[in-house]
Amino acid sequence: MDSRHKMISILALTSFTFLYLVFTSFPGPVKFAQLNITELIQKRKCGLDFAGAYAMDGQKKSPRKRTGQYYNMKTKQSAGPNCSSPVRLQMFGPDKVLDQQMFFLETSGRSSLSPRQACSVESAAKLSNLHIQVILLSATLDLMDNSTCYLYQTASNVSFYTIDMKTIFVNTPLQDIIRSKKFAKSQYKITHQSDALRLALIFKYGGFYSDLDAVTIHDLSKFKNVIGSTKINSKVGTLSHLANGEFHFERKHQLLWETMKMFTKAFTGNARVEVGPILITKTVKSLFHTDSMETVKSKQLTVLPIETFYPIKAFEVSLLWPTEPKSFTDWSRTFENSSMIHFYASQTNKWVVERDPSHEAYAVIAPRYCPVAFWSSDQF
């Protein structure tokens, strides 16, 4: 048995143990998913790696909106005294860098992960074949959340760190603008801070970056110098653009340097997406002298097909909670060419997951790829 299979076996064993503790102490009745995973498909390179079935309800159903703010929810921990207090995080720096690494950033300042954020980390730990580096701006990690504690205590390929925002941008084109009054007064500071940090972090240390609202369903270690593409609408003739939610680059990559240079020119602090996907798309157009993202395929950069990371695009987000019931076959076709599935948290956190696979993508995806996060909270 090779080391990867050993790691998966260990993770599976600890997952089942942790799930037992969760279920035997869950506050209130647990509503089990109707999904039945009937077979695991070992050699599939993309798409869902399992066969499943459930009884479709046959009824139209609109997503149910939650009454409060998603990030204000509290998930009671049931793992005992080891998860009863926060832990102080080590500072991330050059001594923490690994050859095969994947970064997640929590830039709001919160000290724990939401269940859906934990799902992103858990699925990456299980399937990506990379070491997961979770970077928080908080100096501590609150273990009172069930799934956060599980990842911290038992996932051997997940590390949690904080980061020094005063030094990470040094010796990059962003070092001055990040310290400026204009940046401090940004109307979308959390978003702009995240856009800047992912560029500087991957430029300095290399690796795979992912937003905390994407579920990994396949090996990501095969991707080198890649970025995902998407579209802003379904109109005929609309060109694809780049999305900065998932990408991999080697350290010191020219595209990241040039994007940071353009960041300093484009930043006003008045528009949420001004230094995100639009910016990196403009940079690629300039560097590669093309308006067609689909044509960019080289050792320096490969733009991946839309379906690889974004099988459902941002303007199609309602398809993640479809009104018309979907069978497992329908979901499988939707994700058949994907390695990750992006869930657009800013748009979908308002919708409750009732664990109904006929109407919720999470109810099909999460029981397989992030079962601990999925079952650790009654408000996933």
Side-chain angles (χ1 to χ4, degrees):
M1 182 181 291
D2 61 31
S3 59
R4 172 168 163 74
H5 288 122
K6 285 182 180 178
M7 184 182 72
I8 291 174
S9 298
I10 292 170
L11 283 172
L13 178 60
T14 53
S15 296
F16 287 133
T17 303
F18 191 85
L19 284 168
Y20 172 80
L21 293 172
V22 171
F23 290 155
T24 54
S25 57
F26 205 98
V30 178
K31 185 179 179 182
F32 286 90
Q34 299 172 25
L35 174 69
N36 179 28
I37 297 176
T38 58
E39 179 188 3
L40 295 182
I41 305 169
Q42 299 294 335
K43 295 183 179 180
R44 186 166 287 177
K45 294 183 178 180
C46 57
L48 303 184
D49 68 346
F50 66 97
Y54 51 84
M56 290 177 61
D57 59 20
Q59 303 294 319
K60 289 186 177 181
K61 175 184 172 184
S62 298
R64 181 165 69 87
K65 290 187 177 180
R66 66 180 74 253
T67 55
Q69 291 293 322
Y70 180 68
Y71 292 116
N72 291 338
M73 295 187 320
K74 298 296 182 182
T75 302
K76 294 181 180 179
Q77 69 94 358
S78 57
N82 287 338
C83 293
S84 61
S85 60
V87 294
R88 182 159 291 278
L89 295 172
Q90 294 184 43
M91 192 72 66
F92 185 82
D95 59 320
K96 310 299 184 186
V97 174
L98 299 170
D99 289 335
Q100 297 279 349
Q101 59 187 353
M102 179 177 185
F103 289 97
F104 291 97
L105 304 178
E106 213 307 312
T107 57
S108 71
R110 288 186 291 270
S111 59
S112 65
L113 302 180
S114 73
R116 293 184 191 177
Q117 289 177 326
C119 174
S120 294
V121 176
E122 181 184 351
S123 65
K126 286 167 64 95
L127 275 300
S128 72
N129 205 24
L130 300 170
H131 187 93
I132 311 306
Q133 312 272 39
V134 184
I135 310 293
L136 293 84
L137 296 193
S138 170
T140 60
L141 183 68
D142 184 357
L143 299 183
M144 290 296 288
D145 173 78
N146 265 335
S147 45
T148 302
C149 182
Y150 158 74
L151 291 168
Y152 180 80
Q153 297 279 7
T154 65
S156 61
N157 64 331
V158 177
S159 301
F160 289 87
Y161 298 104
T162 188
I163 197 165
D164 187 348
M165 293 294 284
K166 294 180 181 179
T167 60
I168 185 61
F169 298 104
V170 171
N171 297 324
T172 78
L174 298 177
Q175 63 181 0
D176 293 330
I177 195 167
I178 295 298
R179 300 170 182 169
S180 69
K181 292 181 179 179
K182 183 166 70 170
F183 193 84
K185 294 179 179 179
S186 167
Q187 296 181 36
Y188 304 92
K189 187 174 180 181
I190 292 176
T191 299
H192 294 157
Q193 194 165 244
S194 177
D195 288 333
L197 183 55
R198 71 189 68 180
L199 294 172
L201 190 68
I202 301 301
F203 175 77
K204 283 193 167 184
Y205 302 123
F208 198 106
Y209 166 82
S210 175
D211 284 347
L212 271 168
D213 56 357
V215 178
T216 301
I217 64 173
H218 274 284
D219 180 10
L220 302 178
S221 64
K222 61 187 177 183
F223 293 119
K224 308 294 181 186
N225 296 328
V226 302
I227 190 167
S229 59
T230 188
K231 287 188 176 183
I232 61 171
N233 59 52
S234 60
K235 294 179 181 177
V236 176
T238 298
L239 296 176
S240 62
H241 67 83
L242 302 183
N244 68 338
E246 282 80 37
F247 56 78
H248 174 279
F249 289 107
E250 299 168 329
R251 64 187 298 270
K252 307 295 183 182
H253 197 282
Q254 181 188 9
L255 174 60
L256 299 178
W257 181 266
E258 296 299 327
T259 303
M260 288 188 285
K261 286 170 61 177
M262 291 190 69
F263 188 114
T264 65
K265 299 174 183 178
F267 179 78
T268 68
N270 298 324
R272 184 176 181 273
V273 298
E274 66 185 8
V275 288
I278 295 173
L279 183 70
I280 201 164
T281 301
K282 288 181 178 178
T283 308
V284 169
K285 286 181 178 181
S286 175
L287 281 178
F288 289 86
H289 309 290
T290 182
D291 287 327
S292 176
M293 295 298 98
E294 293 91 342
T295 64
V296 182
K297 295 180 181 180
S298 67
K299 288 185 178 180
Q300 187 180 12
L301 173 65
T302 295
V303 175
L304 296 172
I306 295 172
E307 295 79 9
T308 308
F309 299 146
Y310 308 97
I312 292 176
K313 307 169 199 68
F315 68 89
E316 302 171 325
V317 72
S318 63
L319 298 180
L320 292 166
W321 270 260
T323 301
E324 296 285 347
K326 295 186 73 167
S327 67
F328 181 82
T329 300
D330 294 331
W331 287 117
S332 187
R333 286 178 184 143
T334 298
F335 304 132
E336 64 183 349
N337 295 311
S338 302
S339 293
M340 301 183 78
I341 302 168
H342 203 93
F343 276 86
Y344 310 98
S346 63
Q347 298 182 66
T348 63
N349 278 343
K350 63 186 177 185
W351 292 331
V352 174
V353 172
E354 298 181 298
R355 301 190 171 108
D356 179 359
S358 294
H359 296 279
E360 299 161 0
Y362 265 128
V364 175
I365 301 303
R368 162 65 180 133
Y369 299 109
C370 58
V372 172
F374 188 63
W375 290 112
S376 288
S377 173
D378 59 352
Q379 301 185 73
F380 183 85

